[in-house]
Amino acid sequence: TGVSAYWWIGLSDSASEGSHRWVDGSSASFRDWDGSEPDSGHTGSIEDCVVITHGRGRWHDDECRFTRPYICSRR
């Protein structure tokens, strides 16, 4: 199988547009948005979830409905 171009990172603004929070409820103190991201659905879609891109490793907001691999942390 091919390598996915995007991975979920557990960050979302679904509770409050523009206020991104991690799945544990903590705020995102570090941000690594790509270019004009987050663009909140530039095509009219609702983009509440955040992915990291393959290659450059920058963040994009995206529709939460997509099935993608994910990255998690272990404490």
Side-chain angles (χ1 to χ4, degrees), residues 37-57:
E37 298 289 335
D39 61 8
S40 300
H42 63 283
T43 60
S45 60
I46 298 173
E47 297 182 339
D48 286 333
C49 293
V50 180
V51 295
I52 191 170
T53 62
H54 174 64
R56 293 183 51 201

Side-chain angles (χ1 to χ4, degrees), residues 12-61:
S12 169
D13 71 347
S14 60
S16 178
E17 185 64 31
S19 179
H20 291 86
R21 296 196 134 342
W22 296 106
V23 293
D24 69 358
S26 63
S27 62
S29 57
F30 171 81
R31 294 182 176 98
D32 196 19
W33 297 109
D34 191 15
S36 62
E37 298 289 335
D39 61 8
S40 300
H42 63 283
T43 60
S45 60
I46 298 173
E47 297 182 339
D48 286 333
C49 293
V50 180
V51 295
I52 191 170
T53 62
H54 174 64
R56 293 183 51 201
R58 305 296 300 272
W59 298 1
H60 288 249
D61 58 343

